[in-house]
Amino acid sequence: MFRILNMNFSERLKARMDALGLRATDISEMTGVSKATVSFWINGTNGAKGQNLTSLARALDCSAEWLSEGIDPPK
């Protein structure tokens, strides 16, 4: 549990993708962003914001707050 609370955005994204069996291509298609943008998210270059964050949370079946801040983890 402690490790989950200390994860950064890219770690939470990768963990959720793994849990759901999703690839970067799947995320790109589900959110409507480019594969390069998803790669930036996964590599920690930057995080999702605004509508992209909302779309990403919807695709990953979790809250935007969890993705961006680690608050309210998915069950």
Side-chain angles (χ1 to χ4, degrees):
M1 181 71 166
F2 181 73
R3 177 68 186 132
I4 291 172
L5 297 175
N6 289 321
M7 295 168 72
N8 63 35
F9 174 83
S10 66
E11 291 169 328
R12 287 188 292 273
L13 170 59
K14 289 184 273 191
R16 198 66 184 145
M17 287 173 65
D18 288 344
L20 298 173
L22 297 172
R23 300 169 297 138
T25 302
D26 300 322
I27 297 299
S28 175
E29 291 171 1
M30 295 169 81
T31 60
V33 301
S34 70
K35 292 175 191 171
T37 296
V38 176
S39 179
F40 288 147
W41 294 343
I42 291 170
N43 293 326
T45 304
N46 57 25
K49 293 181 173 68
Q51 184 60 40
N52 287 343
L53 178 60
T54 302
S55 296
L56 182 58
R58 191 175 307 118
L60 295 175
D61 194 27
C62 64
S63 71
E65 292 79 15
W66 180 73
L67 278 175
S68 64
E69 304 297 325
I71 300 167
D72 189 28
K75 303 206 175 358

